[in-house]
Every structure is written in C-alpha cells, then in structure tokens.
Amino acid sequence: MKIVIAGGHGKIALRLTRRLAARGDSVLGIVRNPRHIEDVKAAGGQAALLDLERATVDEVAAAVAGADAVVFSAGSGNSATAARRDKMDRAAVLLVMDGASQAGVRRFLHVSSINVGCADDRGIGEGYAVYLRAKRAAEQHVFARTDLDWTVLRPGVLTDGPGEGSVDLTPGNRLAPSGARFDQVAREDVAAVLAALLDRPETAGRIYVVVGGDTPVEKAVQV
C-alpha cells in the first residue's frame, strides 16, 4: 500500500512510518519544516514539504495522489494559540479530507483524542478545552463525509515508553458521558493499531478509543 501521513514528523507518525516501511508499504509524510525531511527518510518514508496552515486543496490533492489511504496525525502542539489550534486541529483536517477526495483517495484515518468524546470540559484548563473544542469540530467534519471511508481513533494520554503490543480498543460514542478519562497508551501501540486499521476496510465509519490493555493488537481490531 501507499500511505500518506499528514503530520509526518509527529511522534505517532514516525512510529507508524517505521512499521509500514518495515512491512514493505510506501509511506509519504507531509511535513512543514524542511529540517524534518531527513527524520522521515530515516524512518523509512519519503517526505512532502507542505504547510497545512497555508496549503490549498489542489496542493494537498497533488501530495496524496495515488495513495491507498491518508492518515491525519498532525497537531497544533502544546503551546499553540487558540487561532493555531483551530487551523491545525480543525481546519487542516477538513483541508486534507478535501484534498483526499479530490485525488480520489477514499480511505481516511483520523487520530483524535480520548477526551473529545467527553461532554464536560470543566476543570481541565482553558487551553486544553480550546484544543478539545477544535478536535470535536474536526470530528464533526469527518462524520459528515460520505465520500470517504473514514475511521476515527481516539487515543488516551500518550506516552513514549515501549509498546506492549496489546491494547484496550473499544467503540467510542460520538458523545461520551460527562467526565474526562485519562488512561494512558504508548504511542508505539497507537501506531500498531493504525497499521492494523489500515488493513481492515470494514472498520470504516467507526470510532475507536484506544488505551493500554491486555488484548493483542491484531485481535483487538478484529471487529
């Protein structure tokens, strides 16, 4: 398969690139910083230089042309302003979906956040609340698409430790009960789940929450 990853220099994205490249897939990571190109190549992928805050739909379509799937794993970063959170965590998702649709790429995986599904933002801080609002709006864009075979993955609190190869993967409601969840999951295991979801077109149209657990990844995604 040929996979394009938006946010190709991210910590999940580089891990996913290594996994996909190791099994023989072709990976193209979209990055905005030319200094990140070599890191993507070192992980086994190729890089396309494109700033998703300023790119056009035509530019994105050109970047993803010929792909079997697009994975959106870009983000605004911890210290982003509210304006940048809206651009990267919401508007860029819509931009990449439009580009994929224009290029005829139907499969789209969106990396979201576990707490997007929580109804109550109280007590979490305004910065994080702004982030979650942008991510919720992005998910609404995703849910509305009938031209894409989308899957949304909502990871828990991300860690950089070694992956366990096992997770707790559960269907995620579009609006979960009040109260945030802060279960952890290794980025390596999130990458493993994404790779497995790419192999399973029957997971299109579904939302999953992933945290650390005891079920082997390959078994967890057999739903």
Side-chain angles (χ1 to χ4, degrees):
M1 290 192 295
K2 178 182 177 181
I3 310 300
V4 176
I5 305 176
H9 192 257
K11 291 183 178 181
I12 293 174
L14 288 174
R15 288 168 169 81
L16 178 59
T17 298
R18 292 187 191 99
R19 282 183 171 271
L20 295 176
R23 72 183 198 181
D25 291 327
S26 171
V27 184
L28 179 71
I30 296 177
V31 299
R32 68 181 180 88
N33 189 333
R35 292 177 295 179
H36 294 163
I37 291 175
E38 291 306 315
D39 290 336
V40 175
K41 289 183 177 179
Q46 296 298 312
L49 192 61
L50 193 62
D51 186 345
L52 295 178
E53 292 185 64
R54 297 174 175 82
T56 66
V57 173
D58 287 346
E59 289 172 330
V60 175
V64 306
D68 296 291
V70 175
V71 178
F72 189 96
S73 190
S76 57
N78 292 333
S79 59
T81 63
R84 185 160 196 268
R85 289 197 188 283
D86 183 70
K87 286 182 179 179
M88 283 304 303
D89 298 320
R90 182 198 62 81
V93 179
L94 180 57
L95 172 69
V96 173
M97 287 193 296
D98 285 346
S101 180
Q102 181 171 308
V105 182
R106 288 195 60 90
R107 192 73 171 106
F108 181 82
L109 272 62
H110 176 56
V111 181
S112 188
S113 170
I114 188 172
N115 291 319
V116 169
C118 297
D120 191 352
D121 288 346
R122 291 175 295 182
I124 63 173
E126 180 59 20
Y128 190 43
V130 170
Y131 165 78
L132 289 180
R133 287 195 289 270
K135 296 292 277 187
R136 286 194 190 103
E139 285 197 4
Q140 293 304 314
H141 288 314
V142 176
F143 301 151
R145 302 302 288 246
T146 59
D147 55 334
L148 298 175
D149 298 325
W150 55 262
T151 302
V152 171
L153 184 64
R154 294 173 175 170
V157 176
L158 299 166
T159 68
D160 287 326
E164 299 292 334
S166 59
V167 295
D168 179 5
L169 185 70
T170 57
N173 296 322
R174 295 195 180 183
L175 187 61
S178 177
R181 298 176 59 192
F182 293 99
D183 301 281
Q184 294 185 337
V185 62
R187 287 180 171 90
E188 191 65 55
D189 288 329
V190 176
V193 170
L194 288 168
L197 290 173
L198 285 167
D199 293 335
R200 289 167 173 79
E202 67 272 17
T203 62
R206 297 179 181 178
I207 310 159
Y208 296 98
V209 171
V210 60
V211 296
D214 299 322
T215 305
V217 169
E218 289 299 319
K219 184 177 180 180
V221 299
Q222 292 177 3
V223 292

